[in-house]
Amino acid sequence: MSVELLQSKAADFDAVDPLSSFRSRFQLPEGVIYFDGNSLGPMLKSMPERISKTLHDEWATGLIRSWNDADWINLPETVAAKIAPLIGAKPECVTVTDSTSVNIFKVLCAALVLNKGRKRIVSEKNNFPTDLYLVEGVRDFLQRGHEVCLVEDDLELFDSITHETAVVLLTHVDFRTGRMLDMEALTKHAHGHGALVIWDLAHSAGALPVHLDEVGADFAVGCGYKYLNGGPGAPSFVYVNEEHLGSAWQPLTGWFSHKTPFAFDHSYEPNQSIKQFLCGTPPVLSMVALDESLKLWRDVRIEDVRNKSLKLAEFFLECVSASGLDDEFSIATPLEHKDRGSQISLRFQGDGYAVMQALIARGVIGDFRDPDILRFGFAPLYNTFGEIFRAVQHLKEIIEIGEWQQARFMERKAVT
Ligand SMILES: *Cc1c(COP(=O)(O)O)cnc(C)c1O
């Protein structure tokens, strides 16, 4: 297909895009094509006013009274109630607190205690590092002889979950390749073998429908700052299946996890609700920012977001192929819709980091993951088909003229 045809196809898609009105709610810099919402979602235009209100009316004026008057104290529930429908959970099974890493620690400990007769923890070798480091950390800290089994290939996952498995910790959508696991089948399989399952939804929540209650997931965690656009370092969410509430305990028994924090009791009594998964005082400014971002979801269905995400990705692949980039790049993301999340990852044989830097210099922001992956995350609430067309044109030029080979693109920064 010719370049002109692709361009007009993009324009046609954008013209009939039912989600096109959402883009104007985001503050996106001029001249930037942003495909990194899977690392840090952009800011909503309504954010400064909301934060300013919290600063001036609530903090500066209300002072300590705002814990009650502005309902700061209930922010974990208020925010969780907005996330729950996106992940197919009852609001009383979700709370918002701490970072994803800290929440992985909590649910991993909770699950290992629930299934204490067993010693094996199953995860994937390619799982996100924090998940793997925490598995090792918890194993070493508990000193109960837990054994870690890291599966090298998705195909071996089912076989590796056996009657010896205590807990399976999996990331639903792989951060490098965008590969999505079959949550329902794996959860069923694990339960059939008496194992508990923890799902890391960092690359799923806000990108595609998830049905935690329906599939019977035991625990889940996820990120506030990726597809939920909560801002840098936004708090994370944690889900505990209703069945485990009141019996699953996490060990960070800070006062917010107590039955009656403001009774200031001398001894610990766990809260019987999801609040047991809180630890200390919520970071109000960050919670408010996440709350503001989540208001978007009053007006849009996650199913519609998923539909557009798949179309954007399909069009991206079409542009890559039509631009003759097939020879330079291989597609690391599974092609079947049911097997992928909201990103396309391209593998490059040369210096992929430099190619991404060259793209960023042209205003196309994606990111690079070692050893050879260029990631393009698609966020249907603000990305357009026109952007996809233009981004791939840039990529084509960068490759054609060897622009990425300039020394300035090869210097590694701290955050890739
Ligand atoms: C981004 C990400 C995290 C992030 O954890 P933090 O504690 O927020 O740094 C965790 N798991 C996965 C799979 C991720 O992609």
Side-chain angles (χ1 to χ4, degrees), residues 150-161:
L150 297 182
V151 179
E152 305 235 0
D153 187 323
D154 289 0
L155 297 173
E156 295 162 21
L157 253 181
F158 282 90
D159 289 342
S160 68
I161 302 169

Side-chain angles (χ1 to χ4, degrees), residues 38-39 98-104 127-131 134 170-175 200-203 221-226 233-236 375:
N38 52 336
S39 261
D98 301 316
S99 66
T100 305
S101 301
V102 171
N103 287 328
I104 292 170
N127 203 344
F128 191 79
T130 210
D131 301 59
L134 282 158
L170 296 172
T171 295
H172 186 213
V173 174
D174 184 87
F175 77 105
D200 184 333
L201 303 178
H203 291 273
V221 297
C223 247
Y225 53 81
K226 292 174 179 165
S236 147
R375 296 198 306 180

Side-chain angles (χ1 to χ4, degrees), residues 23-94:
R23 183 181 169 87
S24 65
R25 299 214 209 169
F26 289 90
Q27 183 81 51
L28 290 159
E30 204 57 37
V32 162
I33 297 177
Y34 196 59
F35 292 143
D36 218 359
N38 52 336
S39 261
L40 175 66
M43 190 181 78
L44 284 174
K45 283 182 184 160
S46 61
M47 193 61 73
E49 197 186 323
R50 176 77 190 272
I51 296 293
S52 173
K53 182 175 173 288
T54 305
L55 291 176
H56 297 289
D57 301 353
E58 299 175 8
W59 181 12
T61 310
L63 290 165
I64 192 82
R65 294 170 291 188
S66 291
W67 281 104
N68 292 313
D69 297 348
D71 213 24
W72 286 352
I73 194 68
N74 289 318
L75 275 167
E77 286 104 278
T78 313
V79 180
K82 294 186 171 88
I83 295 175
L86 299 176
I87 54 173
K90 289 178 204 68
E92 55 275 23
C93 295
V94 186

Side-chain angles (χ1 to χ4, degrees), residues 167-411:
V167 178
V168 184
L169 169 62
L170 296 172
T171 295
H172 186 213
V173 174
D174 184 87
F175 77 105
R176 284 192 195 85
T177 63
R179 170 290 276 129
M180 179 161 71
L181 290 173
D182 186 338
M183 182 183 284
E184 184 169 15
L186 280 159
T187 304
K188 273 209 182 103
H189 178 81
H191 287 170
H193 290 76
L196 296 173
V197 190
I198 302 168
W199 288 101
D200 184 333
L201 303 178
H203 291 273
S204 316
L208 45 97
V210 176
H211 307 284
L212 291 174
D213 283 340
E214 203 178 303
V215 306
D218 296 287
F219 299 92
V221 297
C223 247
Y225 53 81
K226 292 174 179 165
Y227 292 105
L228 298 181
N229 310 307
S236 147
F237 63 85
V238 54
Y239 162 90
V240 179
N241 191 293
E242 196 172 29
E243 182 192 337
H244 301 311
L245 287 177
S247 54
W249 308 124
Q250 60 88 13
L252 299 181
T253 49
W255 66 314
F256 271 65
S257 74
H258 192 278
K259 204 170 150 196
T260 50
F262 289 90
F264 298 99
D265 282 347
H266 291 290
S267 63
Y268 184 72
E269 261 203 73
N271 199 303
Q272 300 291 314
S273 75
I274 187 69
K275 288 185 180 176
Q276 206 272 324
F277 282 75
L278 298 176
C279 181
T281 309
V284 170
L285 297 179
S286 304
M287 296 289 276
V288 164
L290 179 54
D291 188 64
E292 182 62 27
S293 304
L294 289 165
K295 282 187 183 164
L296 266 180
W297 298 97
R298 288 189 301 212
D299 306 325
V300 63
R301 294 178 340 129
I302 187 74
E303 289 77 12
D304 296 333
V305 166
R306 173 63 169 169
N307 283 339
K308 182 175 166 190
S309 152
L310 290 170
K311 281 192 193 133
L312 287 166
E314 229 31 82
F315 187 59
F316 180 85
L317 292 172
E318 187 182 345
C319 290
V320 166
S321 167
S323 309
L325 290 169
D326 279 347
D327 299 336
E328 313 286 341
F329 295 94
S330 62
I331 293 150
T333 308
L335 294 179
E336 281 227 40
H337 290 180
K338 67 170 180 43
D339 297 331
R340 64 164 127 114
S342 197
Q343 76 188 55
I344 295 288
S345 300
L346 301 179
R347 277 192 202 318
F348 184 61
Q349 291 198 342
D351 187 346
Y353 178 81
V355 173
M356 184 50 78
Q357 292 307 307
L359 267 174
I360 294 171
R362 284 169 172 249
V364 180
I365 304 182
D367 60 23
F368 175 76
R369 288 294 174 262
D370 266 324
D372 57 359
I373 293 215
L374 284 84
R375 296 198 306 180
F376 299 89
F378 305 122
L381 294 176
Y382 50 88
N383 285 139
T384 67
F385 293 89
E387 287 181 316
I388 300 238
F389 169 78
R390 294 201 303 281
V392 177
Q393 287 304 113
H394 281 300
L395 183 59
K396 186 180 166 199
E397 288 168 26
I398 286 167
I399 297 299
E400 266 173 10
I401 62 181
E403 189 167 295
W404 59 278
Q405 285 157 329
Q406 296 174 23
R408 64 183 172 126
F409 295 136
M410 298 186 182
E411 260 171 59

